[in-house]
Amino acid sequence: MAVALKEDYQRALDEQKKEVRELVMAGLEQIKEGKTKDFNTVCGRLEKKYKDEAISN
């Protein structure tokens, strides 16, 4: 049972990493399109999203 939980945890962690990469790439695309002029703004939004999400879990 412990092995199954570890595999589930690893799968969830890998999925979160993938989601973060996609969000960062979307933020960079927004900068290229001129929708966001400051990379710190993009990072701030990501940081806020994940801090809030971590609290709710």
Side-chain angles (χ1 to χ4, degrees), residues 1-54:
M1 184 168 165
V3 173
L5 289 175
K6 185 175 180 180
E7 289 174 2
D8 287 344
Y9 175 78
Q10 187 62 46
R11 195 173 303 120
L13 186 61
D14 290 342
E15 188 63 32
Q16 286 178 345
K17 286 179 182 180
K18 180 181 173 186
E19 183 180 337
V20 169
R21 282 192 298 271
E22 289 171 358
L23 289 169
V24 169
M25 295 308 292
L28 290 172
E29 190 61 35
Q30 286 179 353
I31 291 170
K32 287 179 188 176
E33 293 172 359
K35 293 179 181 176
T36 302
K37 296 184 187 331
D38 184 9
F39 187 69
N40 289 330
T41 302
V42 173
C43 291
R45 279 187 283 179
L46 289 171
E47 185 175 2
K48 182 181 183 319
K49 176 184 174 18
Y50 280 95
K51 278 186 178 179
D52 291 347
E53 188 172 297

